[in-house]
Amino acid sequence: MTALFSIYVGILCVVFGLVNSEDAFAMEKIVQSGLDFKDIVARVNSTLVTNESTGCINQISALLNSDQMTLKRMADAWSKFPYSGASYYASKSDAGNYDECIKISTTIDNERILGKYCSWGFAIPISNGTQVYLLATCIPDQCSAADLANITRLPLFVDNYCSTQDTDSKLDAGAVIVLVLFALLFTCTILETAYDIFLEYAGKKPPHAIYTAFSMYSNGKKLLKSTKYSKAGEQVLCFHGMKFISMWWIISGHGAISMFLAPALDYEFRSHWQTQRYAQYIASAHICVDTFFYISGFLMAYLYFKQSISKKSATKQAGSVPMMIIHRYLRLTPANAMCFLGSVFLFKYLQTGPFFSFGIHDGLIRPCKKYWWTYFLYIQNYYNFHYGESLCIPTTWYLSADFQLFLITPLVFIPISLIYRRSFAKTMAALAGVNLICLVTPIFIKLQWRDYDVDFQEYDFHSKLISYFIGVMTGIYMRHHKNKKVTINRMVNLTIWFLALGNMLAVIFYRQDIQIKNEYVARSLCYSFTRPMWCISLAWITYACVNGYGGVVNWFLSSPFMQIGGKLTYSLYLTHGMVIAHYALGIRTRIDFTDWNLFYTNCGHFIVSMMVATFWSLSYESPMITLERLIFNRSKAESKPKSKPSKVDQNGSKE
């Protein structure tokens, strides 16, 4: 049997041209020197088997005796080595031909034999073992990549992320249940939309708001409704544009990251791309997240200190906290839960590809099923990282941090409200002290615990305190001065605008320099100080736009298009990760990484994300806001079934 197997391997070697390559010669030298491959195996998260597989040998024997063409097709689907640019220019990995392998299906003696594609199933170490070529393999379905190593003694086959055409081909029980749930909600949406349109043409009102809660017609009108600046009232219209632009930037950043995961034709250019100054138009997208924290803090303070609750005693204010938390949880969770269910149970059936199986199962399904409770308790940004685990739907780390910031807000708002009644100046001084603490605390944590992962700053909430409470301070200041007109000289206004925008550019480029140097202390200090710098500029933009000094900036940020986009940002944030993953994990071959291709791809991500987010908002976000209002304010909902959304909803306080 081993001899028969050697024939099969010989076919593969001929196809590869492996015997004559310089890297194969280097590989042979490494093998002769007794290189320990355990470290390489660990890097690809695989383990070699010790026993030969009888089923594998039987399938190969059957193919050799009866269907050698299928073996040749399998060999043809393997990655070819050496491939063009492999030594110096291209990525040291190749995906082979996934579709050719996965479509292989033959029957010999009533036994079905499938092509089994293994991404990175064959690893070739070169140089001194510091570099590894990762190549895809195509083998009979009862074989493992490790079987090849065990039988042929060829160096380093690894059992790594294999799939056949039967993988995820049938709906499992969880997928059926979730699919039924989505179908029921969609049916409800269709029926209520038709009923709502009928009532509209009949000139009637629904007997209760519950009958139109899921209507895309009513929810669509709310989404498309815009407010003129002169009638803004309590709304801060410029926030819509700030959120929408920030969301576009975030989608572009995540899209660029996805293109770094696939093998590249021009790996050398791609690896140096992030160090280019002009690349900051995408590479600095992560700073936009602080825009959302700033807006969230601003809106919390702006609304809280308008309401009568802020004028109550500390005891009564504390008594209202549980209901505030319930409202917030119900505002975030329904649309988020549908994203969880769709991603974990249905998404795996929507795409295929050489990187899709391990990307979905290891990167999404496993952590989500294991730590689903941390996801819904909004603590995964700490708990999962503490145990060295991946996040469930990584982009949703923000929701955990935002909810945690919301939980600590009453601890500050209640004492601040008591100070505010006596002295506005003391209130500002107290908030300045809070911001100083929020600035110093993350620095102390990062410098005190040097094993603290500096990149964890992207996921914790304590380093975002400064952004949030600068928003709080700005919100209270503008609430106090809402009806007090301040005259600013034209030249002074232009000067402040110049300084604010220049400060934001300085933050972007300074963070790039620090990231390139990659020194722990410098990065820790940079991340801590650039956040308040960024938010101070946002505070000026907010103040100027609300008080009539925003000019064309305010016109653009408050335009009807931006208002619609601003209302979609929560659904955009929830769904854009799956849109990008669907594209990136379905890539079949090495990509050509250029600025134009990156721009073109990101435009596609944005357009498709907008389409999905619109559906998500109309189907799951808006209906749940209406239902939440019905649950906690039933009498009002019955008397005003088509009441306008609250100011919090219009401003999109989620983000």
Side-chain angles (χ1 to χ4, degrees):
M1 289 302 177
T2 302
L4 292 175
F5 195 91
S6 298
I7 298 175
Y8 171 51
V9 174
I11 296 173
L12 300 180
C13 290
V14 170
V15 174
F16 293 160
L18 185 63
V19 177
N20 296 322
S21 74
E22 294 181 2
D23 285 314
F25 178 75
M27 176 187 67
E28 181 181 357
K29 293 296 184 182
I30 293 171
V31 174
Q32 291 175 356
S33 64
L35 176 67
D36 185 0
F37 292 123
K38 291 182 179 179
D39 292 337
I40 302 175
V41 174
R43 282 199 295 270
V44 290
N45 300 317
S46 304
T47 304
L48 293 175
V49 295
T50 56
N51 297 320
E52 296 183 7
S53 170
T54 302
C56 176
I57 293 295
N58 291 338
Q59 284 190 334
I60 294 174
S61 177
L63 289 171
L64 285 170
N65 292 326
S66 304
D67 192 356
Q68 292 190 12
M69 179 56 65
T70 295
L71 279 178
K72 293 179 181 179
R73 289 177 60 196
M74 289 183 180
D76 189 51
W78 278 51
S79 298
K80 304 304 182 293
F81 181 84
Y83 47 84
S84 178
S87 297
Y88 303 105
Y89 193 67
S91 297
K92 301 247 182 316
S93 57
D94 184 82
N97 194 314
Y98 171 84
D99 293 290
E100 181 180 19
C101 179
I102 216 73
K103 290 178 181 179
I104 291 176
S105 177
T106 186
T107 301
I108 300 176
D109 296 332
N110 296 322
E111 181 185 0
R112 187 186 182 204
I113 301 177
L114 301 176
K116 181 178 181 180
Y117 176 90
C118 297
S119 58
W120 305 335
F122 182 33
I124 304 177
I126 62 173
S127 301
N128 59 356
T130 59
Q131 293 181 325
V132 178
Y133 286 101
L134 298 173
L135 308 178
T137 60
C138 182
I139 54 181
D141 61 283
Q142 290 192 25
C143 296
S144 68
D147 286 328
L148 300 184
N150 192 50
I151 297 172
T152 66
R153 301 300 185 262
L154 287 175
L156 205 61
F157 283 82
V158 292
D159 213 0
N160 193 37
Y161 308 121
C162 301
S163 58
T164 70
Q165 60 181 254
D166 287 345
T167 302
D168 294 330
S169 61
K170 297 181 180 179
L171 296 177
D172 55 30
V176 171
I177 294 172
V178 172
L179 192 61
V180 169
L181 174 62
F182 273 87
L184 289 175
L185 290 175
F186 184 72
T187 301
C188 182
T189 298
I190 296 298
L191 293 176
E192 290 204 3
T193 301
Y195 179 65
D196 192 21
I197 294 174
F198 168 77
L199 292 177
E200 182 75 17
Y201 279 93
K204 299 179 180 180
K205 293 184 178 181
H208 195 282
I210 190 67
Y211 294 106
T212 57
F214 285 85
S215 169
M216 284 193 172
Y217 181 71
S218 290
N219 293 331
K221 288 195 297 183
K222 295 176 187 177
L223 175 64
L224 297 176
K225 183 178 180 180
S226 60
T227 303
K228 294 183 178 180
Y229 179 75
S230 59
K231 299 180 180 180
E234 292 295 321
Q235 297 187 64
V236 183
L237 295 180
C238 65
F239 280 167
H240 290 297
M242 291 167 65
K243 292 188 300 179
F244 191 49
I245 292 173
S246 296
M247 195 63 244
W248 169 83
W249 204 356
I250 290 171
I251 292 173
S252 298
H254 288 159
I257 291 173
S258 71
M259 294 190 72
F260 275 79
L261 301 178
L265 290 170
D266 45 359
Y267 177 80
E268 184 177 0
F269 169 76
R270 187 179 69 176
S271 62
H272 292 94
W273 176 82
Q274 294 184 88
T275 65
Q276 304 301 312
R277 285 291 185 190
Y278 75 88
Q280 292 309 295
Y281 78 97
I282 286 182
S284 292
H286 46 77
I287 192 66
C288 286
V289 180
D290 289 276
T291 301
F292 287 108
F293 285 116
Y294 162 82
I295 293 175
S296 186
F298 180 100
L299 291 175
M300 278 296 301
Y302 196 68
L303 296 173
Y304 188 89
F305 283 85
K306 171 200 172 185
Q307 299 170 355
S308 58
I309 184 175
S310 64
K311 301 178 178 63
K312 295 180 180 179
S313 66
T315 303
K316 291 185 178 180
Q317 289 187 58
S320 66
V321 170
M323 189 56 65
M324 289 174 56
I325 295 174
I326 292 174
H327 278 289
R328 186 67 167 183
Y329 189 85
L330 292 178
R331 169 69 181 91
L332 294 177
T333 305
N336 190 26
M338 298 305 292
C339 180
F340 175 90
L341 294 175
S343 300
V344 175
F345 293 98
L346 299 180
F347 189 68
K348 62 184 177 181
Y349 301 105
L350 302 181
Q351 181 60 290
T352 60
F355 313 111
F356 190 78
S357 181
F358 73 81
I360 291 300
H361 288 278
D362 277 23
L364 175 67
I365 295 177
R366 185 191 61 78
C368 284
K369 286 188 174 182
K370 185 176 181 180
Y371 295 107
W372 61 268
W373 57 277
T374 65
Y375 183 88
F376 287 103
L377 290 178
Y378 298 106
I379 60 172
Q380 66 163 340
N381 59 327
Y382 280 95
Y383 187 90
N384 292 29
F385 267 92
H386 179 71
Y387 289 99
E389 293 286 351
S390 301
L391 295 180
C392 171
I393 311 180
T395 55
T396 61
W397 71 267
Y398 167 85
L399 299 182
S400 297
D402 182 69
F403 192 74
Q404 290 155 14
L405 286 168
F406 180 85
L407 292 178
I408 70 168
T409 297
L411 300 177
V412 177
F413 278 15
I414 294 175
I416 287 295
S417 67
L418 301 180
I419 300 173
Y420 181 71
R421 298 173 196 176
R422 295 192 292 270
S423 171
F424 173 72
K426 291 182 179 179
T427 301
M428 291 293 102
L431 287 172
V434 170
N435 279 310
L436 180 61
I437 295 173
C438 294
L439 175 64
V440 172
T441 300
I443 297 176
F444 174 79
I445 292 175
K446 291 172 183 175
L447 297 183
Q448 181 67 26
W449 288 279
R450 294 298 297 270
D451 58 344
Y452 179 89
D453 183 2
V454 70
D455 288 324
F456 176 57
Q457 56 81 31
E458 293 299 330
Y459 302 107
D460 64 43
F461 94 92
H462 57 263
S463 64
K464 312 301 188 299
L465 288 167
I466 184 66
S467 303
Y468 188 83
F469 280 103
I470 287 179
V472 167
M473 191 173 183
T474 308
I476 294 177
Y477 178 87
M478 292 186 62
R479 169 59 64 191
H480 184 77
H481 292 86
K482 180 171 175 56
N483 298 316
K484 299 177 182 179
K485 182 68 174 179
V486 178
T487 302
I488 301 177
N489 180 275
R490 179 180 176 85
M491 290 304 299
V492 173
N493 182 37
L494 289 175
T495 300
I496 299 176
W497 270 105
F498 177 80
L499 293 174
L501 297 179
N503 175 58
M504 298 177 87
L505 288 175
V507 166
I508 290 173
F509 290 118
Y510 178 62
R511 286 172 71 103
Q512 180 200 28
D513 290 338
I514 294 299
Q515 287 175 337
I516 292 172
K517 294 177 181 177
N518 198 26
E519 199 276 322
Y520 182 88
V521 174
R523 291 184 70 185
S524 299
L525 294 175
C526 170
Y527 290 148
S528 297
F529 282 107
T530 53
R531 286 194 171 92
M533 292 172 62
W534 181 265
C535 292
I536 287 172
S537 292
L538 295 178
W540 165 251
I541 295 173
T542 306
Y543 180 85
C545 290
V546 170
N547 290 282
Y549 296 103
V552 67
V553 175
N554 182 49
W555 168 82
F556 179 69
L557 295 178
S558 305
S559 63
F561 176 74
M562 289 295 175
Q563 292 184 43
I564 295 172
K567 296 173 187 177
L568 287 173
T569 50
Y570 182 47
S571 292
L572 271 172
Y573 200 91
L574 289 176
T575 60
H576 80 278
M578 292 299 103
V579 171
I580 294 173
H582 185 273
Y583 170 81
L585 296 178
I587 293 175
R588 259 55 174 178
T589 186
R590 294 191 297 279
I591 62 172
D592 184 16
F593 186 92
T594 64
D595 288 285
W596 172 249
N597 286 343
L598 182 61
F599 171 77
Y600 197 82
T601 302
N602 284 338
C603 286
H605 291 330
F606 183 73
I607 292 172
V608 176
S609 295
M610 282 288 292
M611 295 168 59
V612 176
T614 300
F615 173 80
W616 215 262
S617 177
L618 297 180
S619 299
Y620 309 121
E621 183 184 359
S622 293
M624 297 308 168
I625 292 175
T626 302
L627 292 177
E628 188 260 351
R629 216 179 281 131
L630 291 173
I631 294 172
F632 294 101
N633 200 3
R634 185 176 180 84
S635 60
K636 182 177 180 180
E638 290 179 347
S639 62
K640 296 182 180 181
K642 288 197 174 185
S643 59
K644 296 180 180 180
S646 68
K647 297 297 186 291
V648 175
D649 296 331
Q650 290 180 3
N651 281 327
S653 61
K654 150 257 152 190
E655 300 82 32

